[in-house]
Amino acid sequence: MEKSREITEKIVEALHSNRNEINREPMEAYMKNHFSFLGIKSPERKKILSPILKECRQISEVERLEIASSLYDRHEREYHYAALALLEKGTKKASVSSIGFYKELVMTASWWDSVDMIASNLCGDYFKKYPQYLAPITEKWRVSSHLWVRRTSLLIQLKYKKDTNEELLFDTIDVLKHEREFFIEKAIGWALREYSKTNPEAVLNYIEKTGLRPLSQREGLKWLKNQAKITT
């Protein structure tokens, strides 16, 4: 606990001391004023956090989750980004129960900027370590009442390439394809577009036979069209 508190305070002090009022307003406006910001842009934030994250290489998974939780208790978005960066550095040490914590983060201060990183990086790495849980948890999350948990179910395998569970991906899209929700439609298209780089024929065949909403279809075909693999 003492180590967790020490690192949390170090991260908070480092970010707080570099707050920038000039950047703050446009950054908050870009995120539609859903969150408060310190005004630290991504390149600078990563530079500030780099030496602290290096110090965290030997901390335990329990300490890592404690620090992330404390950072998420703060209002400014940069603290949330710091929490996610810390967690990403430790995905190889993730315990079986870590997925429950990741889900809580998906449902906390939810917006695409945090959820997509949690889905594709944290959850994505988790299920590579514990592949036996990929299908059952994806199947559970895709019928969740929480929008961002459903979006996460679509993006877990975003970086899996040839290791993608194709049947699970298409089944999950089938469950969600009728939703009239921008963030679901967009995620469907994004997932298909990424997988089309690995298996273009499977994606094209799926899209041709499936009644996807226009946004999902357009996004799903974007890479294929750019590669001149289909005619427009």
Side-chain angles (χ1 to χ4, degrees):
M1 178 65 82
E2 186 61 36
K3 184 66 172 178
S4 303
R5 186 181 299 111
E6 176 188 329
I7 294 172
T8 301
E9 290 175 355
K10 188 175 291 189
I11 291 173
V12 169
E13 173 58 28
L15 292 175
H16 183 74
S17 64
N18 283 277
R19 63 193 183 279
N20 186 318
E21 282 298 310
I22 295 175
N23 293 336
R24 182 182 61 79
E25 269 194 45
M27 290 176 72
E28 291 177 353
Y30 177 71
M31 297 304 294
K32 300 185 183 298
N33 295 301
H34 285 294
F35 309 102
S36 300
F37 277 81
L38 295 169
I40 306 172
K41 294 184 177 180
S42 181
E44 184 183 0
R45 186 184 73 249
K46 291 176 180 178
K47 185 177 180 180
I48 293 167
L49 291 175
S50 179
I52 303 175
L53 294 181
K54 286 180 181 178
E55 294 177 21
C56 297
R57 287 174 177 169
Q58 302 306 316
I59 64 174
S60 69
E61 177 69 357
V62 171
E63 289 170 328
R64 196 179 303 277
L65 298 187
E66 286 176 347
I67 297 165
S69 181
S70 295
L71 291 171
Y72 248 79
D73 284 340
R74 295 180 173 270
H75 294 296
E76 289 82 4
R77 199 58 163 166
E78 287 89 345
Y79 297 125
H80 304 169
Y81 296 152
L84 299 181
L86 176 68
L87 291 171
E88 187 176 15
K89 294 291 185 181
T91 54
K92 291 183 179 179
K93 296 181 180 180
S95 66
V96 171
S97 62
S98 294
I99 194 63
F101 184 75
Y102 297 163
K103 184 182 180 185
E104 284 299 315
L105 292 187
V106 167
M107 298 188 292
T108 303
S110 307
W111 200 241
W112 62 264
D113 59 327
S114 60
V115 169
D116 294 356
M117 187 276 188
I118 297 168
S120 62
N121 291 7
L122 301 186
C123 294
D125 283 356
Y126 174 90
F127 290 116
K128 285 184 177 180
K129 184 176 182 181
Y130 303 108
Q132 67 271 31
Y133 298 117
L134 174 61
I137 290 180
T138 298
E139 289 166 3
K140 184 176 181 180
W141 286 10
R142 70 193 185 192
V143 294
S144 169
S145 61
H146 199 286
L147 162 65
W148 296 102
V149 174
R150 298 197 304 280
R151 179 175 168 99
T152 297
S153 74
L154 290 161
L155 300 179
I156 289 168
Q157 299 190 78
L158 196 67
K159 298 180 179 181
Y160 278 22
K161 299 181 179 179
K162 64 180 178 60
D163 295 324
T164 298
N165 181 329
E166 182 182 296
E167 181 179 3
L168 180 64
L169 174 62
F170 291 162
D171 284 349
T172 299
I173 294 172
D174 284 340
V175 170
L176 297 169
K177 66 186 178 183
H178 300 300
E179 281 201 37
R180 292 177 176 269
E181 164 55 58
F182 173 81
F183 288 108
I184 296 297
E185 294 180 37
K186 191 79 170 179
I188 288 172
W190 188 13
L192 289 171
R193 184 170 73 248
E194 286 305 303
Y195 188 49
S196 75
K197 299 172 185 178
T198 297
N199 194 337
E201 293 80 12
V203 171
L204 182 55
N205 289 337
Y206 176 77
I207 291 176
E208 286 180 341
K209 72 177 185 180
T210 305
L212 296 177
R213 295 191 57 74
L215 175 59
S216 297
Q217 180 169 315
R218 185 166 63 250
E219 290 293 321
L221 291 173
K222 188 174 291 184
W223 186 83
L224 292 169
K225 286 185 175 180
N226 288 342
Q227 296 298 308
K229 293 185 182 293
I230 63 173
T231 58
T232 58

